[in-house]
Amino acid sequence: MSFTILQKRELVPTLHQMEINAPRVARKAMPGQFVILRIDEYGERIPLTIADFDAQAGTITLIFQEIGKTTRQLASLAAGDSIADVAGPLGNPSAIEKFGTVVCVGGGVGIAPIFPIARALKSAGNRVISVIGARSADILFWEDRMNEASSELYITTDDGTKGHHGFVTDVVQNLLEHGEHDEHGERAIDRVIAIGPPVMMRAVAGVTKPFGVRTVVSLNPIMVDGTGMCGACRVLVGGVTKFACVDGPEFDAHEVDFTLLMSRLAMYLPEEKEALDCDLRSSVGEAAAEPTV
Ligand SMILES: Cc1cc2nc3c(=O)[nH]c(=O)nc-3n(C[C@H](O)[C@H](O)[C@H](O)COP(=O)(O)OP(=O)(O)OC[C@H]3O[C@@H](n4cnc5c(N)ncnc54)[C@H](O)[C@@H]3O)c2cc1C
Ligand code: FES
């Protein structure tokens, strides 16, 4: 069975949205889960979060950043092309309950995975305050979707081209310090969930910890099999080794060893660079070999 790409578009430079026909995955998908895909039989297996799903239409939506060999190859596909394997849904779904007031934080490509979580939390009766951030306004995406999925939406850009000039953590800090009080004047933020680059998730955890607000992050370590067998995705949470693919991907942010996560993510950089360089060389070679009219 192969999985047909129904729609594909570049949302902002190097960030792509792809809708894939995957009825079995779409029927079971829940917010917070991911798939592991392989473009063809020779391909590397890469995990991508299910950013949206439609059980009736049998489709899932993926948002991915072109950063290396496989995501670059995926970006070169178009509607009508097929993907060999899409395994999932994998990982534990996000906890969707009535918590009260929940702050959903999405940074960069992390806006995509936070979207279905914010939407489900709002449907479950929570007051959802979303904070989304990007380096610059021109690479911000899904503002409209996040607006709909949230009771309140804050935008931040590192360069100040839209919303608050600064980081998502500034807004979270402000909400915790001044923004949310219940009728007794107490802090009334019940939960924070943050998804984005590890450095951002670590910063959010640092901001919420002194306030004692339960904070959840979705970790993105290197994954291979996605079934808890290979050990590639091991992370340290509260001093205990966990496998993000089966025990996560969401964990208590205040317990995660982010330094280890970041060092393990950089573990294969020379090999990844070599694979990309090799790919680039072969596409230049192909172009050079093409007959010119
Ligand atoms: C649960 C989970 C969900 C994810 N969801 C998304 C998403 O929705 N959108 C998105 O753009 N990215 C997502 N990622 C990251 C994505 O999997 C990597 O960007 C991708 O694998 C890079 O592959 P590459 O060959 O293009 O790049 P490479 O050059 O191979 O690697 C570039 C960097 O990507 C990371 N990476 C490489 N291989 C893997 C792998 N097998 N597993 C995880 N990380 C890897 C490493 O940090 C590496 O340094 C997710 C990762 C995880 C674990
Ligand atoms: S990806 Fe192999 S154990 Fe998690």
Side-chain angles (χ1 to χ4, degrees):
M1 177 183 182
S2 67
F3 298 82
T4 308
I5 299 167
L6 303 173
Q7 280 186 38
K8 148 87 194 321
R9 69 188 180 105
E10 193 169 25
L11 286 178
V12 299
T14 73
L15 188 87
H16 304 267
Q17 174 170 332
M18 192 176 257
E19 195 184 313
I20 302 173
N21 185 49
R24 270 189 292 178
V25 181
R27 258 199 312 275
K28 293 188 175 163
M30 311 258 263
Q33 291 187 297
F34 62 94
V35 292
I36 289 192
L37 64 79
R38 205 167 53 127
I39 296 174
D40 55 40
E41 61 177 310
Y42 309 106
E44 177 195 29
R45 296 159 60 84
I46 62 157
L48 293 174
T49 306
I50 304 170
D52 204 356
F53 48 92
D54 183 333
Q56 271 190 332
T59 59
I60 59 167
T61 302
L62 306 176
I63 302 284
F64 63 94
Q65 184 90 57
E66 240 182 280
I67 59 163
K69 182 175 183 224
T70 305
T71 46
R72 193 169 167 269
Q73 200 183 339
L74 194 61
S76 72
L77 302 180
D81 290 339
S82 290
I83 292 171
D85 305 319
V86 178
L90 300 169
N92 297 301
S94 201
I96 306 297
E97 294 167 29
K98 190 158 180 197
F99 296 109
T101 297
V102 185
V103 177
C104 291
V105 190
V109 72
I111 296 169
I114 205 76
F115 162 71
I117 298 172
R119 180 176 60 185
L121 285 168
K122 192 174 171 209
S123 300
N126 293 283
R127 183 165 134 69
V128 174
I129 304 175
S130 295
V131 187
I132 56 172
R135 279 198 314 279
S136 186
D138 55 1
I139 52 170
L140 196 67
F141 66 98
W142 278 18
E143 188 185 330
D144 49 345
R145 287 190 185 220
M146 284 305 296
N147 213 1
E148 246 176 68
S150 317
S151 319
E152 222 174 288
L153 177 66
Y154 292 88
I155 291 169
T156 72
T157 48
D158 301 3
D159 63 1
T161 43
K162 188 156 201 179
H164 169 76
H165 185 172
F167 299 132
V168 287
T169 38
D170 303 339
V171 176
V172 176
Q173 174 98 36
N174 197 41
L175 286 170
L176 289 165
E177 278 176 0
H178 312 292
E180 290 294 307
H181 295 283
D182 63 15
E183 65 273 24
H184 311 293
E186 299 289 326
R187 167 190 51 73
I189 288 174
D190 300 287
R191 192 177 178 88
V192 173
I193 170 155
I195 310 184
V199 67
M200 181 215 96
M201 295 191 285
R202 180 173 65 180
V204 172
V207 164
T208 60
K209 194 166 182 186
F211 293 88
V213 176
R214 168 93 172 138
T215 304
V216 174
V217 285
S218 180
L219 301 187
N220 58 342
I222 288 177
M223 289 188 179
V224 179
D225 66 338
T227 63
M229 303 289 282
C230 72
C233 68
R234 69 177 181 275
V235 290
L236 209 54
V237 183
V240 178
T241 295
K242 301 274 182 189
F243 293 153
C245 66
V246 288
D247 300 321
E250 289 182 9
F251 293 101
D252 181 341
H254 300 147
E255 298 287 336
V256 171
D257 183 335
F258 285 102
T259 309
L260 181 69
L261 173 71
M262 288 190 258
S263 73
R264 284 186 58 79
L265 272 170
M267 214 163 52
Y268 298 110
L269 279 180
E271 290 84 353
E272 286 153 358
K273 187 174 175 309
E274 195 186 326
L276 183 61
D277 288 349
C278 188
D279 207 37
L280 289 172
R281 275 199 301 275
S282 66
S283 45
V284 170
E286 271 164 33
E290 265 170 30
T292 45
V293 184

